[in-house]
Amino acid sequence: YIEERNKITDYQRKLLFALWRDYESYTGVPLDAVEAWFKYQYMLHADLDHLPSVSRSGMTKRLATDFVTYTMEYLLDNGIPFQQADWYKGADVARVCYAMLMKRICFICGKEHSDIHHLNGSTIGMGNDREKVSHVGRRVVCLCREDHGKIHQGGELAFFRKHHIVPIKLTEESVKLLNL
């Protein structure tokens, strides 16, 4: 039983196939070729000595989480849209939130060209000049205008719990990449 809990989950398996179908829909590449390509690329990325298997006993939950995250990061980096629903159940949420922030994609709905929301304690404005203030060390999330409005209705903590958001602490490198 314990060994089974450490194996890829059915949800992770479904999520990988859903992401691959999103890739197929966007590019026109047949699903079996998409699956083979992602498995091969991930094998190289993770320095595995064999192609990963997504069968029920084919990999550990930890490896599956990394594979799902790798796939999502690839889609984000290449501007390939994917369904947003419940992605956090099978991926490394912090890594995906960071990738979404770097592409300015809303953490909630996936809308591009979204805004950076500074969390309570990291806010900008109210007398601070955005051009002169250092953003390094401030905690942020990326939200479209609609979801940005919702965060103020019920409070940040409840919003983060509901949507499984991991705020990102800005580094010098991320500030530079985001042009803040």
Side-chain angles (χ1 to χ4, degrees):
Y1 176 72
I2 290 175
E3 183 178 312
E4 202 169 289
R5 284 193 335 213
N6 291 328
K7 298 293 183 186
I8 186 172
T9 66
D10 285 340
Y11 186 81
Q12 288 173 315
R13 293 174 73 242
K14 289 176 187 174
L15 182 55
L16 279 167
F17 280 100
L19 292 168
W20 296 337
R21 278 191 302 278
D22 289 339
Y23 184 92
E24 175 191 37
S25 295
Y26 187 79
T27 64
V29 175
L31 184 60
D32 57 342
V34 172
E35 178 183 355
W37 187 85
F38 270 102
K39 286 179 177 181
Y40 181 73
Q41 292 302 315
Y42 183 70
M43 178 185 78
L44 296 176
H45 167 79
D47 198 26
L48 302 175
D49 58 2
H50 62 283
L51 287 175
S53 169
V54 294
S55 68
R56 283 198 169 84
S57 60
M59 69 174 69
T60 65
K61 187 186 250 182
R62 173 183 261 166
L63 190 65
T65 298
D66 191 57
F67 191 15
V68 167
T69 304
Y70 170 83
T71 302
M72 293 180 83
E73 288 172 331
Y74 180 88
L75 297 180
L76 287 165
D77 287 344
N78 290 282
I80 300 169
F82 59 89
Q83 299 298 314
Q84 293 296 110
D86 296 339
W87 61 265
Y88 55 84
K89 292 180 180 176
D92 179 331
V93 176
R95 274 178 51 194
V96 175
C97 284
Y98 179 80
M100 292 174 89
L101 173 68
M102 292 296 105
K103 294 293 182 179
R104 292 196 184 225
I105 295 172
C106 179
F107 288 4
I108 308 304
C109 69
K111 183 181 265 184
E112 295 179 348
H113 311 294
S114 292
D115 298 329
I116 294 174
H117 169 74
H118 292 78
L119 277 55
N120 289 337
S122 290
T123 53
I124 303 282
M126 306 266 248
N128 292 319
D129 184 343
R130 289 180 186 277
E131 304 296 319
K132 295 181 182 176
V133 115
S134 173
H135 294 270
V136 176
R138 295 182 187 265
R139 295 175 355 144
V140 300
V141 295
C142 194
L143 301 171
C144 68
R145 299 272 163 125
E146 185 177 327
D147 289 318
H148 193 176
K150 292 176 186 175
I151 200 169
H152 296 292
Q153 292 171 354
E156 285 180 351
L157 191 56
F159 189 82
F160 293 157
R161 284 187 180 144
K162 177 181 179 184
H163 296 289
H164 306 275
I165 293 176
V166 175
I168 305 300
K169 188 174 184 179
L170 296 173
T171 63
E172 284 188 40
E173 180 185 358
S174 58
V175 167
K176 194 178 288 186
L177 290 170
L178 289 166
N179 200 25
L180 295 176

